[in-house]
Each structure stands twice: as structure tokens, then as C-alpha cells.
Amino acid sequence: MRALRPLVLIGIGGLIYALIELAFRGRTHWTMLIVGGLCFWLIGLVNEVIPWEVVFWKQCLLGSLIVTVVEFFSGCIINLGLGWNVWDYSNLPLNLLGQICLPFSLLWILISVVAVVLDDYLRYWLYGEEKPHYTWI
């Protein structure tokens, strides 16, 4: 059963991300279920690897870094390699190959706030893992 945890969390995270895209963009792509789910799962691993005592905002910064790295590599494959043009940040400031940009990396900090807490509570509710607690300063 433990082996299914990543798949369940990836599925939940991917679905939530696709719904966020639908709400704000009006559309999504099936690859965002995978990319969003992978990001959610990786962000959730933060508390599995580093101690709970790490200040919450640092966890969120790390989450943003995780999303930005995953977004860059998946964008190079999905958009540049396969030519599917799922997203393009070329018109936004401080972008790299149109796949990542500073404004969205900052947005990922806010998304990470939700992702960190949601993943921690899902692990607590679904799998009986340690009850979430955070260090704020």
C-alpha cells in the first residue's frame, strides 16, 4: 500500500493543478495533470527530507524552486521538443527560453504555501503520518 502513496498524491496534486488552470486560464492540457502532480508530490517530500523545524517560508521558497525546475525541464520537452505549445512565457520579463520566468516563479511561492500544507494534511489524514506543525520564525 505504501508504494501507492506517490501515485495517489500525484493524482490529487495533478487534478488540483488542472482545476486551477481551468479556473484562471480557461483551459489546461493533459500533461499538466502529470507536471502539476509531480510538483505537488516533490513539494510534499520537503517535510519528508528536511526537519519540521525549518521555517515555513523557506519550505515555500524551496517549493517554488522545485516547481520552476520541473517546469523548465518539462517545458523543454513538452513545448520545445514536442512542439505542443502548452505554455509560453516569452512575452514575460526575465524568462528563460519562454519556459520559466520570474513572475511565475514568484507565483509558485504562493501555490507552494497551499501545496505544503495540503500535502502534509493529506499524509496525516490518509496515511496516519505525523500531524503537521510548522515553525514560522
Side-chain angles (χ1 to χ4, degrees), residues 15-119:
L15 182 61
I16 290 170
Y17 184 73
L19 292 172
I20 290 170
E21 274 205 324
L22 285 171
F24 289 96
R25 232 177 129 196
R27 62 186 169 86
T28 192
H29 189 267
W30 67 267
T31 56
M32 294 302 90
L33 292 166
I34 298 167
V35 173
L38 179 62
C39 289
F40 181 74
W41 178 66
L42 290 172
I43 289 170
L45 288 180
V46 169
N47 277 339
E48 305 301 310
V49 176
I50 63 172
W52 285 97
E53 290 72 29
V54 172
V55 182
F56 185 75
W57 65 266
K58 288 182 181 179
Q59 293 180 45
C60 297
L61 282 179
L62 183 55
S64 174
L65 178 64
I66 289 167
V67 174
T68 300
V69 168
V70 170
E71 184 177 43
F72 179 73
F73 286 108
S74 61
C76 287
I77 294 167
I78 294 166
N79 298 322
L80 302 179
L82 296 172
W84 290 349
N85 301 316
V86 176
W87 71 89
D88 182 0
Y89 298 143
S90 296
N91 62 340
L92 294 174
L94 302 169
N95 76 79
L96 180 60
L97 301 175
Q99 302 312 301
I100 58 172
C101 66
L102 183 60
F104 271 82
S105 290
L106 295 174
L107 176 64
W108 302 143
I109 296 170
L110 298 175
I111 297 288
S112 292
V113 168
V114 175
V116 166
V117 173
L118 181 59
D119 175 82

